[in-house]
Amino acid sequence: MGSLAFSTSDLQTSTSGVRSSPTLLCTPLMGTTVDQMLIEMRKAKEIGADLVEIRLDCLRNFNPHQDLEILIKQSPLPTLVTYRPVWEGGQYEGEESKRQDALRLAMQLGAHYIDVELEVAHDFNNSIHGKKPDNFKIIVSSHNFHNTPSAEAIGNLVARIQATGADIAKIATTALDITDCARIFQITVHSQIPIIGIVMGERGLISRILSPKFGGYLTYGALEAGAISAPGQPTAKDLLDLYNFRLIRPDTKVYGIIGKPVGHSKSPLLFNAAYKSVGLNAVYLHFLVDDVEKFFNTYSAVDFASGCSCTIPHKEAALKCMDEIDPIAKKIGAINNIVRRPDGTLTAFNTDYIGAISAIEDGLRELNGVSPGASPLAGKLFVVLGAGGAGKSLAYGAAQKGARVVVANRTFERAKDLAEKVGGQAMTLAEVENFHPEEGMVLANTTSVGMKPKIDETPLAKHALKNYCLVFDAIYTPKDTRLLREARETGAVIVYGTEMLIRQGFEQYKNFTGLPAPEELFRTLMEKHA
């Protein structure tokens, strides 16, 4: 399938025929006893779920009449009853007739939905013909634990499900790549009957969060991280509080962070809270991307991937996909911030250097009381440890502000290469210890020396720090590195790596939205969560 370039207007026309009500949030109950499930139901209601899925195949000793009566009648939320057999990824191994009897009983006892597998749906639906209660719906489901078929094959599957007499179709596939989700989004939007479209696995996470954007009937959110009923399922709490699930609509703009791995990133926390605080109709996701080019080609609609943050290992690879690159980002040769213009073109920036340099400038102003006009870095001797991505960012950033740059790297060749580009001097890391042509220099560490777990290490001996008036460390785990502690003891002003992180976030927010970032909110959240 080609790109997901359908527009939001497509969405409104195609889904209006099916349903305009919001996507429901369903929490699966995985308790092994009826009592456990009753506790889980109450928890699900507290969290804010709309309905619960009673997974009968999880119950150890299941007594159909007695247990269903209790579970359905005592549930504080509407119920969806599923009795998943082993051959469709569940736990039930008994007789098929008994399984179907239990599902029919659930219907009679007042369940709102039951989920029946496509393989047996035709016969099952015939067996209840004319006996369906008024507000009762049949979900016919198909699960593919291997891959996500072509759009055509998924379309045929929905047609087969529809032909069984289903009220709602459920298609669950497996993501081998994040672009697989596009095919499920397309089918969800164009389906003739209400549809639950889920792509399983970590690469399919966005399919679960964005159900409301594409008009999905419901999505599943686990009670807690350990209790997921399918791979890649988020918790109901994360859906509601981290991704603002209730605020996502067909015209919501989608932003996110591209990386691999990416699940650890705190960016969705910051951006979603910021969007919510100013009432911006946008959501920010984790994009686990294997192939950047494929990602941008597939998700080419203007309101999808409206803007992306870009992290390891894609900062260089993403350059090739851009239509326009900020001049300094081009020199650095790495980008971390991508904005999609209204005409669909992609423009890239590097906000890492702006974040770090502005934090260092403010530290120097504090020290010298320099007027806000000229950069306090002008004329300063600026020593950068490390010549990787962050080292490049700081070297170019400092040179742009008029500093005299010295690049030190473990291998001299890499230091020399970068130093030549910024008109500076090169040396090895070992030589820095005895390098002090003047007092009041600035030091910026961009190596990983001193990072968790090796927090007792430092890239520069304490006695050498007395020649520096300011020391910056790009490491932010831990926040207070040995280098910064020892620099503070020798009397230097210190600048934390978290400052670079927060400030580059301010810049990205400004590039994404055209608005100034809610700085206090960002800082409060970083303090609380990082």
Side-chain angles (χ1 to χ4, degrees), residues 177-225:
D177 190 275
I178 192 167
T179 55
D180 292 344
C181 299
R183 302 199 284 284
I184 287 290
F185 291 147
Q186 237 184 357
I187 296 293
T188 305
V189 166
H190 295 294
S191 171
Q192 300 304 304
I193 58 169
I195 188 164
I196 302 164
I198 301 284
V199 189
M200 298 181 285
E202 199 187 343
R203 286 166 176 78
L205 177 64
I206 65 169
S207 72
R208 299 171 175 279
I209 300 164
L210 294 178
S211 286
K213 181 169 176 61
F214 298 105
Y217 188 83
L218 65 76
T219 196
Y220 299 86
L223 260 189
E224 45 222 37

Side-chain angles (χ1 to χ4, degrees), residues 114-119 121 125 138-142 161 164-171:
I114 61 173
D115 176 328
V116 180
E117 300 73 20
L118 173 56
E119 203 149 311
N125 287 347
I138 289 263
I139 298 170
V140 173
S141 61
S142 162
I161 288 176
T164 66
D167 298 303
I168 300 162
K170 177 188 173 186
I171 305 269

Side-chain angles (χ1 to χ4, degrees), residues 83-88 92-104 115-125 127:
Y83 202 177
R84 192 77 73 220
V86 172
W87 48 262
E88 188 84 4
Y92 179 73
E93 297 189 69
E95 280 174 47
E96 182 59 21
S97 60
K98 284 187 177 164
R99 191 178 75 87
Q100 293 190 26
D101 286 343
L103 290 172
R104 276 186 286 269
D115 176 328
V116 180
E117 300 73 20
L118 173 56
E119 203 149 311
V120 298
H122 213 281
D123 295 342
F124 183 87
N125 287 347
S127 78

Side-chain angles (χ1 to χ4, degrees), residues 98-309:
K98 284 187 177 164
R99 191 178 75 87
Q100 293 190 26
D101 286 343
L103 290 172
R104 276 186 286 269
L105 184 60
M107 174 185 84
Q108 287 154 17
L109 289 171
H112 295 73
Y113 305 89
I114 61 173
D115 176 328
V116 180
E117 300 73 20
L118 173 56
E119 203 149 311
V120 298
H122 213 281
D123 295 342
F124 183 87
N125 287 347
N126 284 343
S127 78
I128 59 166
H129 188 66
K131 299 175 193 162
K132 278 165 67 174
D134 281 350
N135 57 356
F136 167 81
K137 290 185 168 61
I138 289 263
I139 298 170
V140 173
S141 61
S142 162
H143 299 76
N144 177 332
F145 294 98
H146 307 290
N147 58 17
T148 299
S150 68
E152 193 187 354
I154 301 170
N156 292 339
L157 201 54
V158 174
R160 277 179 61 203
I161 288 176
Q162 202 176 340
T164 66
D167 298 303
I168 300 162
K170 177 188 173 186
I171 305 269
T173 64
T174 298
L176 303 180
D177 190 275
I178 192 167
T179 55
D180 292 344
C181 299
R183 302 199 284 284
I184 287 290
F185 291 147
Q186 237 184 357
I187 296 293
T188 305
V189 166
H190 295 294
S191 171
Q192 300 304 304
I193 58 169
I195 188 164
I196 302 164
I198 301 284
V199 189
M200 298 181 285
E202 199 187 343
R203 286 166 176 78
L205 177 64
I206 65 169
S207 72
R208 299 171 175 279
I209 300 164
L210 294 178
S211 286
K213 181 169 176 61
F214 298 105
Y217 188 83
L218 65 76
T219 196
Y220 299 86
L223 260 189
E224 45 222 37
I228 63 169
S229 64
Q233 197 175 80
T235 63
K237 196 176 180 332
D238 275 353
L239 281 172
L240 295 168
D241 300 346
L242 171 59
Y243 298 113
N244 300 325
F245 180 76
R246 299 284 186 214
L247 301 178
I248 301 172
R249 308 195 298 264
D251 56 349
T252 297
K253 281 191 163 178
V254 181
Y255 297 85
I257 178 162
I258 294 174
K260 184 187 176 181
V262 78
H264 63 281
S265 169
K266 298 279 184 240
S267 299
L269 187 90
L270 297 178
F271 284 99
N272 287 323
Y275 295 157
K276 190 178 179 178
S277 74
V278 296
L280 213 61
N281 183 14
V283 64
Y284 187 104
L285 310 177
H286 291 98
F287 290 137
L288 177 58
V289 170
D290 296 282
D291 178 336
V292 192
E293 199 178 348
K294 191 175 177 186
F295 175 81
F296 282 116
N297 287 341
T298 303
Y299 297 114
S300 57
V302 173
D303 70 341
F304 201 107
S306 310
C308 292
S309 311

